[in-house]
Amino acid sequence: MAAVWVSFCLLVSLAALSPHRAHVSTWGSLYGSKHGAAAAPTVGICASSVVVYGYPCQEFDVTTQDGYVLSVQRIPEGRGKGSSGGSGGGIKKPPVLIQHGVLVDGVTWLLNSPDRNLPLILADNGFDVWIANTRGTRFSRRHTSMDPRDPKFWNWSWDELVAFDLPAVFDFVYGKAGQKINYVGHSLGTLFVLASLSEGKLVDQMKSAALLSPIAYLSHMNTALGVAAAKAFVGEITTLFGLAEFNPKGDPAAQFLQALCAYPGVYCYDLLQAVTGKNCCLNSSTIDLFLENEPQSTSTKNMVHLAQIVRDGKLAKYNYGRPDLNLMHYGRFNPPVYNLSNIPHDLPLFLSYGGQDALSDFRDVARLLDSLKLHDVGKLTVQYIENYAHADFIMGLNAKDIVYNQETLAAQHVVGGSQGWEESTDLNSWASGEKFKVGDQLVFKYTSGLHSVVELPNESAYKSCNTGSALDSKSSGNDVVKLTKAGTRYFACGTLGHCGQGMKMKITTVAGNTPSSPSSPSSSAAASSSSSSLRSVTSLFGIAALSVPLLLSMF
Ligand SMILES: *[C@@H]1O[C@H](CO)[C@@H](O)[C@H](O)[C@H]1NC(C)=O
Ligand SMILES: *[C@@H]1O[C@H](CO)[C@@H](O)[C@H](O)[C@H]1NC(C)=O
Ligand SMILES: *[C@@H]1O[C@H](CO)[C@@H](O)[C@H](O)[C@H]1NC(C)=O
Ligand SMILES: *[C@@H]1O[C@H](CO)[C@@H](O)[C@H](O)[C@H]1NC(C)=O
């Protein structure tokens, strides 16, 4: 996929080289004026893309164990809250760390209008928001001793992002926020975190992870261009670039893409579509902004490593290409595999993937889900969006309604508010003031031993306080109930007499939200998909099994 993003971004330079080719593209006109070298940063992301919308924002530097200095932004408050600290008040807000994919940086999350940008939406919803910028990107081209002009600066692949970048940023945010971190990753931002977790890193600092357009396996990446690019990366690329910086805006990259576009079966006309799949819901002004800001450099070694996943179908460490070299680095002939079964089974995970995504192909997602099949059932939520492709998840006009309002914004309702789950609380008037969405949680807080929480099966059991018919009973004093589907549920206290005195509550959960309709004809499928997502995923396994031989014959 990375290879593919490159190619997509490369059209920027290609447009300058061969306008007759570019202008045929539907997107071509957008590229014409946007070529040129990566501008040296003058203002940071806070100043350019956050503060301008009236949100407070702080810039931080985080140094990794191997000496890279990473730029990190924090948006501690929603719009107009004005405070600079955000931690001065009483309650600490839940932190969320947002991680971009490869060849882009943290700015990609901030290219829509402010009410549609994930970091700002999260800040407005009470989160302490942190934005990561991977090594090599515009604001993270720094090292304690090396210069980016030195090829050694670029001697890393995503193994180092897994081993150093993410852990450094997690340590830093954890240190500042003082509590476990919610993570949101897009594309390769999902790969890094899955691989890190599989090695036992981040585990103690992570509260939940939302994986948008998840990538772990890439064997089914189905664009001819992507496949050609991946082959070339493994084969020819190092002679063209050396093992140094891969700058998608540079001349060698443009030549590389030109060569690729000449491959039989590769069509470079509508490159954005060829590369990411058919994005349903992008605003053309947002694409313009995207091209002003991206793509960003990465290391050639990283690109080669990504191409190895496409080629080998395995999630393994960088392959040095020779048994003796692998032996030297790993003490074995083949690179070690990242075993995703090692991810803690009780970590809340939310996966959202699209039916039109050429990079996060549904068969590869099915394989990822298969590797998570031992995950606790209640801790894995999967959303399938029929008409979404790769870029819709970060820049889609309706991503706010369709994706971000799901798990990422899942609310915790503390039953009874500050009074808690007690006899004196007016529970029904509390409940009528709350909006319960699928994915939200109820938290019952009470004195253990004095009360309990029982769930009653139906209206009549609720009315008659028939606690003997309870479906479930909890008594810890701090019980969490997840609202997994739409409908009405009934709760009461199991202590003799309490239900009769009114210590009971009926709540109605509604489906996540009502997406504002995208212009695409399949929008209704997207809107209805979240509730049926688990079902569609199950049936995917069947499809995948059938078509594997068919696909193998194509590679
Ligand atoms: C690149 O890093 C590896 C270890 O990760 C090391 O073995 C190798 O010598 C380095 N290459 C250069 C050119 O510094
Ligand atoms: C697209 O973005 C531009 C610039 O932010 C905005 O003026 C326009 O309303 C947007 N279009 C839609 C459909 O939101
Ligand atoms: C991954 O780990 C699981 C158990 O933790 C083990 O059963 C499985 O064989 C491992 N897979 C690989 C490819 O090592
Ligand atoms: C309500 O649940 C109780 C206990 O499971 C059952 O006996 C009763 O028939 C149910 N009533 C209705 C109306 O479904």
Side-chain angles (χ1 to χ4, degrees), residues 422-423 425-428 465 497-505:
E422 292 295 338
E423 287 157 281
T425 310
D426 183 352
L427 292 162
N428 279 316
C465 278
H498 286 189
C499 178
Q501 289 164 26
M503 195 170 166
K504 61 180 176 178
M505 167 183 88

Side-chain angles (χ1 to χ4, degrees), residues 87-159:
S87 48
I91 299 170
K92 290 220 170 197
K93 298 174 171 225
V96 55
L97 174 66
I98 307 184
Q99 172 68 59
H100 60 81
V102 78
L103 293 168
V104 295
D105 66 358
V107 165
T108 41
W109 300 102
L110 294 159
L111 299 176
N112 265 326
S113 56
D115 59 318
R116 299 183 203 270
N117 289 334
L118 177 63
L120 305 184
I121 293 171
L122 289 168
D124 280 333
N125 280 274
F127 287 90
D128 177 12
V129 180
W130 297 79
I131 302 174
N133 294 276
T134 301
R135 63 177 65 181
T137 59
R138 197 165 25 159
F139 300 106
S140 300
R141 293 168 69 90
R142 289 172 289 158
H143 190 275
T144 49
S145 65
M146 288 186 284
D147 187 283
R149 281 167 300 191
D150 179 355
K152 282 208 185 76
F153 180 92
W154 301 97
N155 184 16
W156 49 268
S157 79
W158 55 265
D159 286 334

Side-chain angles (χ1 to χ4, degrees), residues 448-472:
S448 174
L450 193 56
H451 303 298
S452 68
V453 179
V454 297
E455 177 161 10
L456 300 174
N458 54 37
E459 183 87 24
S460 60
Y462 172 75
K463 282 199 167 132
S464 62
C465 278
N466 180 5
T467 49
S469 68
L471 300 171
D472 187 29

Side-chain angles (χ1 to χ4, degrees), residues 1-3 5 99-103 158 161-162 166 183 185-194 212-216 218 302-303 306 309 390:
M1 94 101 289
W5 260 111
Q99 172 68 59
H100 60 81
V102 78
L103 293 168
W158 55 265
L161 307 183
V162 167
L166 264 191
Y183 179 89
H186 176 250
S187 186
L188 286 162
T190 70
L191 169 68
F192 310 153
V193 80
L194 290 168
L212 311 182
S213 209
I215 300 226
L218 277 167
N302 191 28
M303 299 305 287
L306 290 167
I309 326 180
H390 208 67

Side-chain angles (χ1 to χ4, degrees), residues 14 24 28 66 94 136 291 305 413 423 491:
L14 189 64
V24 215
D66 58 346
L291 293 170
H305 190 187
H413 306 271
E423 287 157 281
F491 299 93

